[in-house]
Amino acid sequence: MSVFFTLLIKKIAYFFNVLDYPGPKRKIHKKRTPLLGGVGIFLSFFVVLFFIRNALILGDLNYIHWTSFFIGSCFLMFGGFLDDKYSLKPINQIIWPIL
């Protein structure tokens, strides 16, 4: 599932031009490289977690806990997306983990 979502996100990154281009500062790749690979892993993790949530023995977790965990993770992913797309300064990057 991670491979499928990562390949899908790769196509989306090319479509929306969320790419890293070779350059002089610490860039070792020779051609443009799609970003957002973490989104594919994020999606596969939560899809699998959704389907096996009843099989997990985790105590008194109910839907509000799962929803809160998902929403918090979405904040982190959204911050990562913005950083990939716009190369945010560190002071702006820290906002998303704090939220």
Side-chain angles (χ1 to χ4, degrees), residues 45-58 66:
F45 175 78
F46 275 102
V47 167
V48 169
L49 193 63
F50 176 78
F51 285 113
I52 66 166
R53 70 186 182 280
N54 293 332
L56 296 175
I57 303 172
L58 297 174
W66 291 107

Side-chain angles (χ1 to χ4, degrees), residues 59-73:
D60 294 330
L61 293 180
N62 56 31
Y63 286 106
I64 191 70
H65 297 117
W66 291 107
T67 305
S68 300
F69 178 60
F70 179 72
I71 291 171
S73 299

